[in-house]
Amino acid sequence: MPLKAFSHADKGGCGLRLQMLGTGSAFAKSFYNNNALLKSGGRTLLVDFGITAPRALFELGIGFDEIDAVLISHIHADHIGGLEELAFQMKFIYRRKPILYLEESLVTPLWEHSLRGGLEQEAFRSLEDYFEVRPLRAGRKCELLPGLSAELVLTRHIPNKPSFSFLFNDRFFYTADMTFDRELLERLVNERGVDTIFHDCQLHPPGVVHADLAMLLTLPEELQRIIYLMHYGDDQPAFVGRTGRMRFIEQHKIYAIENGQVEIADPMR
């Protein structure tokens, strides 16, 4: 399918500022888990919160009390492994419940299969005891923060294990973990007007549960130009300059995303 030319004359900009707490794969040590921080309307959203996320916040000088909400893509530990600490700190130190956004099909598995063993106590027996749980439905746009909307998109990752990517403000597509899906990417660009894509990238083939770099390099150049790579391994430096028209995003950097442009921005705080 040929890609249509982008035109922004009749559309408002995406207008997002994003900071990557980490840009690494589940097994990366140097780059931390692929989790992000979005700020809009004076409020702060975490996009996934994996094992390394508490450490990343500490290194950036960001306190747990500065977090207003969390958005979860699926229940692998590199995306939810920090939630136990977040729950305990918010409950017993800051004494408030952060908002927890997740697709409705993930609510029960997150508690029963991931968090219950550590968080359940005599007086606290549910996810709602720690979080203000706000279930979302895939395919339905919802405002998460002032000026920040998201639509959850069911994407392929592990068979029979739901995983969702995010379409922010109609224009910015952020994959969590997904296999290569050229048809989806082209449809988002051609039919939905997406002009920026942050895509997970396994650097070495075969890409069984992630898109690998070789697969992504088969995309047409006009699509590669709007793709920024994340969720990579610790040997990422060896691949700089080998990604076609695509570029790597970097850990802890702050990015301004507007009208298809992704630029390093001033600090968000």
Side-chain angles (χ1 to χ4, degrees):
M1 179 187 298
L3 296 181
K4 68 180 181 182
F6 297 126
S7 174
H8 307 301
D10 58 351
K11 298 186 71 174
C14 184
L16 291 178
R17 290 165 70 83
L18 175 147
Q19 183 171 31
M20 300 302 300
L21 297 182
T23 52
S25 68
F27 307 133
K29 301 300 183 286
S30 298
F31 295 112
Y32 292 1
N33 297 151
N34 197 88
N35 308 153
L37 196 67
L38 275 170
K39 204 158 192 175
S40 180
R43 302 186 70 190
T44 301
L45 174 78
L46 286 167
V47 182
D48 287 329
F49 200 63
I51 296 167
T52 61
R55 175 72 185 185
L57 287 178
F58 174 77
E59 291 181 1
L60 292 168
I62 300 172
F64 278 42
D65 59 321
E66 298 178 56
I67 305 304
D68 296 294
V70 188
L71 173 64
I72 296 300
S73 61
H74 65 296
I75 62 172
H76 279 154
D78 57 319
H79 295 263
I80 57 94
L83 286 180
E84 180 178 310
E85 181 178 351
L86 177 65
F88 278 139
Q89 287 218 31
M90 298 304 288
K91 184 76 170 179
F92 298 111
I93 297 176
Y94 301 110
R95 300 188 182 280
R96 68 173 176 86
K97 293 181 182 181
I99 297 169
L100 178 62
Y101 293 110
L102 70 172
E103 213 281 334
E104 57 189 4
S105 64
L106 298 178
V107 175
T108 298
L110 178 63
W111 176 253
E112 294 292 340
H113 300 159
S114 298
L115 296 181
R116 183 177 181 180
L119 290 179
E120 187 174 53
Q121 300 181 27
E122 184 174 356
F124 312 120
R125 296 182 175 275
S126 72
L127 199 59
E128 289 78 8
D129 287 321
Y130 293 94
F131 297 96
E132 183 181 326
V133 181
R134 296 190 184 178
L136 305 175
R137 184 169 295 180
R140 184 175 296 177
K141 181 178 173 180
C142 180
E143 185 176 67
L144 306 186
L145 299 179
L148 176 65
S149 68
E151 178 185 326
L152 275 61
V153 180
L154 179 64
T155 44
R156 296 192 297 267
H157 180 38
I158 303 291
N160 302 313
K161 196 178 189 75
S163 183
F164 299 89
S165 297
F166 308 119
L167 180 57
F168 291 115
N169 285 3
D170 299 316
R171 303 275 293 279
F172 171 39
F173 186 61
Y174 179 103
T175 75
D177 291 1
M178 64 174 271
T179 58
F180 183 67
D181 192 339
R182 175 172 175 159
E183 180 182 354
L184 172 63
L185 298 178
E186 292 186 337
R187 187 167 67 248
L188 288 169
V189 171
N190 289 330
E191 299 178 11
R192 302 293 299 275
V194 165
D195 57 19
T196 306
I197 298 171
F198 278 26
H199 206 301
D200 57 317
C201 177
Q202 180 178 310
L203 296 173
H204 300 277
V208 178
V209 298
H210 292 278
D212 67 47
L213 179 58
M215 293 175 177
L216 291 167
L217 284 169
T218 68
L219 294 170
E221 286 193 359
E222 58 265 38
L223 184 48
Q224 288 187 34
R225 287 191 183 97
I226 69 170
I227 293 178
Y228 296 80
L229 303 175
M230 61 184 184
H231 206 290
Y232 42 73
D234 282 336
D235 58 346
Q236 176 264 358
F239 288 83
V240 173
R242 299 166 57 187
T243 60
R245 297 293 184 177
M246 299 175 288
R247 287 150 286 182
F248 288 112
I249 54 170
E250 299 180 48
Q251 177 183 20
H252 295 179
K253 293 282 182 70
I254 299 169
Y255 295 92
I257 303 168
E258 178 75 30
N259 288 333
Q261 301 297 314
V262 178
E263 298 178 346
I264 301 298
D266 294 331
M268 293 193 293
R269 304 171 67 247

